[in-house]
Amino acid sequence: MMPGAPIAWGVSDWERAKFESRSLLAQPTGGLTWRPRAILECILWPTIVFCYVYYWSFGSWRFYNWKAAIAMGPVVCFVVCLLVSWTARLLFRHQLPCRVKITLSVCMWLALLGGWWAGDQNYGHNIISFYTYQDLATYVDVNPATSKGQTYMDSGEVYFKEGTVVAKSDMVAFRSRTNFCAAPIVGQPLRNQKGPL
């Protein structure tokens, strides 16, 4: 049972509560209804949380050291969101004005979740491919007539021997979610061609 809570409310208690609530609603607000400072806090701090979590959720830190990225980004902001929520809860329990803190808490939790989701989506769709490509090997002066393709499966860049061309006439296309084109790379003609011997 909560301290200070009435055990049972009688009819007179309900009537008194209705009267007090009506009188509070009827009172003029007496000034500024918009609180610019509170609005600025509820916009600024969640934006900072979103950007901070987004940064740590998608960048090079996550690719090279994901534990540090999670600890520095989402975990730090998770603790900050817990502190803001705890403050709002204390104010609410002591029946002090807490609307701004509750709103700030909700906005910060949404910013934390949104930043984490957006950073994870960017990491999965774009960033992981970028860093994986940079870690691949580069091969120079590859002769397609003598080399096998399996030898270069770990390559990010392949530079072929001079005179190498793409055989556009033997190109094929296939669809697997998107369109792909494949064509042989040759250093000499694929078929016998007419010409002087």
Side-chain angles (χ1 to χ4, degrees):
M1 184 178 223
M2 291 187 348
I7 295 172
W9 281 52
V11 174
S12 63
D13 293 324
W14 284 108
E15 292 298 323
R16 188 178 50 174
K18 282 184 192 175
F19 174 75
E20 287 177 2
S21 65
R22 284 187 189 132
S23 65
L24 283 173
L25 289 173
Q27 286 180 357
T29 55
L32 190 62
T33 56
W34 291 95
R35 298 181 187 160
R37 181 173 175 241
I39 292 170
L40 186 63
E41 280 182 24
C42 289
I43 291 172
L44 180 67
W45 290 114
T47 303
I48 290 171
V49 166
F50 178 88
C51 293
Y52 185 78
V53 171
Y54 181 80
Y55 171 78
W56 285 100
S57 295
F58 87 97
S60 62
W61 277 96
R62 181 170 175 185
F63 185 78
Y64 292 113
N65 191 355
W66 67 270
K67 290 178 183 175
I70 297 298
M72 290 298 297
V75 171
V76 167
C77 287
F78 181 81
V79 171
V80 170
C81 289
L82 278 179
L83 289 173
V84 172
S85 298
W86 180 68
T87 305
R89 183 175 180 264
L90 281 178
L91 290 171
F92 182 75
R93 285 188 69 193
H94 294 293
Q95 298 178 352
L96 295 171
C98 60
R99 191 180 328 169
V100 173
K101 290 295 180 194
I102 291 173
T103 305
L104 179 62
S105 173
V106 169
C107 290
M108 286 183 71
W109 281 108
L110 290 174
L112 171 67
L113 295 173
W116 199 351
W117 179 82
D120 187 59
Q121 292 296 311
N122 189 14
Y123 179 78
H125 291 290
N126 302 317
I127 301 302
I128 197 167
S129 301
F130 173 75
Y131 285 110
T132 303
Y133 175 75
Q134 287 189 346
D135 287 344
L136 295 175
T138 301
Y139 294 99
V140 179
D141 204 29
V142 175
N143 186 354
T146 59
S147 302
K148 295 191 178 217
Q150 290 83 4
T151 310
Y152 306 104
M153 294 299 284
D154 65 338
S155 66
E157 294 180 55
V158 178
Y159 295 99
F160 292 98
K161 190 175 169 185
E162 285 206 33
T164 303
V165 295
V166 176
K168 296 176 187 173
S169 61
D170 296 322
M171 179 178 68
V172 294
F174 65 95
R175 183 182 197 101
S176 175
R177 285 182 152 173
T178 59
N179 289 333
F180 290 94
C181 293
I185 299 171
V186 294
Q188 56 190 3
L190 285 177
R191 297 179 189 86
N192 291 331
Q193 293 182 351
K194 294 180 182 177
L197 292 176

